């Protein structure tokens, strides 16, 4: 069973950009109500990720401003999908589980 890993400005490169596969990054803030709706969906997808082909991470935009600015995060929640360190897809706002799952699967 997979889990969602917390990342920050210090370890974003090693956990996301240097990962040789697909990474879903959940850019969130503790004060954000919609972020609380999407977090359980991301956690569920991570738990179902038994083959380990996808990494699920979350980044607090208030604590990691450098990465947030680098990727132009202007609203939370924002989900960005990376493949081999490159941004491939982006979703803003609360998304249905099926939509997130479909976009992740399309990059595997």
């Amino acid at each position: 069973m997979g889990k969602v890993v917390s990342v920050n400005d210090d370890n974003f490169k090693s956990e996301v950009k240097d990962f040789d596969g697909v990474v879903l990054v959940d850019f969130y803030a503790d004060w954000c109500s919609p972020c609380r709706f999407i977090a359980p969906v991301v956690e569920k997808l991570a738990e179902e990720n038994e083959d380990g082909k996808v990494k699920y991470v979350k980044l607090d935009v208030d604590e990691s401003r450098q990465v947030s600015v680098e990727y132009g995060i202007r609203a939370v929640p924002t989900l960005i999908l990376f493949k081999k360190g490159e941004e491939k897809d982006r979703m803003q706002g609360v998304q249905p589980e099926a939509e997130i799952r479909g976009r992740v699967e399309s990059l595997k």
Side-chain angles (χ1 to χ4, degrees):
M1 296 278 185
K3 64 177 185 166
V4 179
V5 177
S6 292
V7 296
N8 55 41
D9 285 341
D10 296 329
N11 66 358
F12 186 83
K13 182 180 183 306
S14 64
E15 292 289 335
V16 177
K17 297 196 75 155
D18 293 342
F19 186 69
D20 191 34
V22 177
V23 183
L24 175 80
V25 182
D26 176 9
F27 290 85
Y28 77 99
D30 287 333
W31 49 263
C32 166
S33 294
C35 296
R36 288 188 223 122
F37 287 108
I38 208 155
V41 173
V42 174
E43 289 169 11
K44 179 181 178 187
L45 293 173
E47 288 173 7
E48 294 173 355
N49 182 40
E50 294 179 9
D51 61 10
K53 290 185 178 179
V54 180
K55 185 186 283 190
Y56 293 86
V57 303
K58 61 183 182 176
L59 182 137
D60 186 328
V61 296
D62 291 328
E63 293 180 5
S64 300
R65 296 200 182 270
Q66 181 180 338
V67 172
S68 301
V69 168
E70 180 180 346
Y71 287 95
I73 305 302
R74 302 203 191 310
V76 287
T78 294
L79 302 176
I80 299 182
L81 280 159
F82 292 84
K83 186 168 186 176
K84 295 185 178 182
E86 293 186 29
E87 180 178 339
K88 297 294 184 183
D89 199 358
R90 182 182 289 231
M91 298 168 268
Q92 271 190 325
V94 175
Q95 301 292 321
E97 179 182 333
E99 178 71 18
I100 299 168
R101 183 185 307 277
R103 291 192 187 195
V104 168
E105 291 293 322
S106 73
L107 290 176
K108 280 176 134 180

